[in-house]
Amino acid sequence: MEQIVSFYKKLGFVNFYNLINANIEHNKSEFVQIDRFLFGLKKSIVSPSNIIECSTGDIRFDIPVWFGDIFNSKVRIIVFGLEPRDTDSNFNIEKIENRIYATPFGVDRWIDSSSVQRKPQNRYYRVFNELVNDHSNFVLFSDVVKDYYVVSKHNVNRKNDTIARDLFFEKAYAGLGFLKEEIELINPTHIITLGLDSYNFIKSNFSDIEIIKLRHPANGGERLARKQLQDSFNGIK
């Protein structure tokens, strides 16, 4: 797993994964308690993270995280979302200068007892719970676009989200080289995409891999996403 960590360190974090492990150990009611999470990662002793708020001028990154043993899994899956968002400061884990780091889909807080308001991350938890707990699977969660500009503190009038949507394909193609390296490193047997744009981009650039398109669990899509995944899951097995 050190090769995976070293690859993602190109995005500039320092203690990201160690901070996640510290959070999990020190607050078992707030952070994911699935033992397959970050499997194989060497642990270093650090203090848990503090709440970090995004400010104007910050860049928020989602750093990929995984469940399972990549070397002893029959199925290797990458789940790609669109891009990071700044939805709640509780999801932020590390800040280096103006770069703030979190997990895709709030994976580190996939737990029913989370105190995060409205628990939006658990929509994804309910969709993927069975998949990540299957010991024959290695599942990595990532985004097509890894960074998100904070041009409006507290995302006033959803300005940051609008910019992210407008720039998605431009930034996706700018980061295509990194994405190719990521996919080559993980060598997935399957790719799952959330949302039409992520599917279209991945399909047009990685047509040699089996790609499964899911309805995005946000904005009322959870039930359909679960059904689509269950229908596809039989094929994966």
Side-chain angles (χ1 to χ4, degrees), residues 51-60 86 88-89 92 95 97-101 148-156 160:
I51 292 177
I52 302 167
E53 287 195 11
C54 289
S55 299
T56 301
D58 286 340
I59 304 174
R60 192 178 183 279
D86 177 29
D88 191 310
S89 298
N92 299 333
K95 183 171 185 178
E97 297 177 346
N98 71 326
R99 303 185 305 276
I100 293 176
Y101 299 94
Y148 173 89
Y149 299 146
V150 181
V151 297
S152 171
K153 189 174 181 180
H154 305 307
N155 202 13
V156 176
N160 298 334

Side-chain angles (χ1 to χ4, degrees), residues 187-200:
N187 189 26
T189 56
H190 301 76
I191 291 176
I192 295 173
T193 60
L194 304 184
L196 183 59
D197 284 349
S198 60
Y199 173 78
N200 287 338

Side-chain angles (χ1 to χ4, degrees), residues 2-226:
E2 294 305 311
Q3 186 179 1
I4 292 177
V5 173
S6 295
F7 173 74
Y8 288 125
K9 271 196 169 182
K10 295 177 183 180
L11 298 173
F13 65 85
V14 176
N15 277 316
F16 177 78
Y17 292 112
N18 292 328
L19 287 166
I20 291 177
N21 278 327
N23 291 341
I24 290 170
E25 181 65 28
H26 285 83
N27 200 335
K28 297 183 185 298
S29 65
E30 287 291 339
F31 295 93
V32 61
Q33 296 296 310
I34 300 173
D35 59 7
R36 307 184 74 247
F37 184 57
L38 299 183
F39 181 89
L41 184 71
K42 293 181 180 178
K43 296 182 180 180
S44 297
I45 298 175
V46 297
S47 298
S49 62
N50 298 312
I51 292 177
I52 302 167
E53 287 195 11
C54 289
S55 299
T56 301
D58 286 340
I59 304 174
R60 192 178 183 279
F61 290 81
D62 275 356
I63 302 300
V65 292
W66 64 89
F67 293 82
D69 182 353
I70 192 171
F71 300 111
N72 293 294
S73 296
K74 295 179 180 178
V75 177
R76 296 177 304 280
I77 303 166
I78 300 180
V79 180
F80 279 117
L82 291 163
E83 69 267 304
R85 296 294 172 97
D86 177 29
T87 56
D88 191 310
S89 298
N90 286 291
F91 294 126
N92 299 333
I93 295 168
E94 184 176 29
K95 183 171 185 178
I96 307 294
E97 297 177 346
N98 71 326
R99 303 185 305 276
I100 293 176
Y101 299 94
T103 66
F105 320 117
V107 173
D108 60 309
R109 285 183 174 264
W110 279 8
I111 190 166
D112 291 333
S113 56
S114 166
S115 64
V116 174
Q117 188 175 14
R118 295 186 299 277
K119 300 179 177 63
Q121 77 279 16
N122 283 351
R123 298 170 188 160
Y124 304 92
Y125 174 41
R126 290 186 290 268
V127 170
F128 291 106
N129 182 41
E130 182 177 347
L131 195 69
V132 302
N133 277 292
D134 188 323
H135 284 253
S136 64
N137 299 333
F138 171 85
V139 187
L140 181 132
F141 292 89
S142 188
D143 284 309
V144 174
V145 172
K146 300 295 192 288
D147 58 62
Y148 173 89
Y149 299 146
V150 181
V151 297
S152 171
K153 189 174 181 180
H154 305 307
N155 202 13
V156 176
N157 297 323
R158 300 184 65 85
K159 185 175 182 179
N160 298 334
D161 293 349
T162 299
I163 292 173
R165 293 283 61 248
D166 290 345
L167 294 179
F168 173 76
F169 283 102
E170 177 183 333
K171 294 177 72 173
Y173 277 106
L176 183 56
F178 187 91
L179 201 66
K180 287 181 177 178
E181 287 186 62
E182 178 179 28
I183 290 174
E184 183 178 353
L185 176 63
I186 304 303
N187 189 26
T189 56
H190 301 76
I191 291 176
I192 295 173
T193 60
L194 304 184
L196 183 59
D197 284 349
S198 60
Y199 173 78
N200 287 338
F201 183 81
I202 294 295
K203 186 69 174 178
S204 64
N205 289 284
F206 302 97
S207 57
D208 57 329
I209 304 171
E210 183 172 346
I211 300 170
I212 298 167
K213 178 175 64 174
L214 296 190
R215 171 75 159 83
H216 204 293
N219 301 318
E222 178 187 332
R223 181 175 297 180
L224 180 55
R226 289 178 66 183

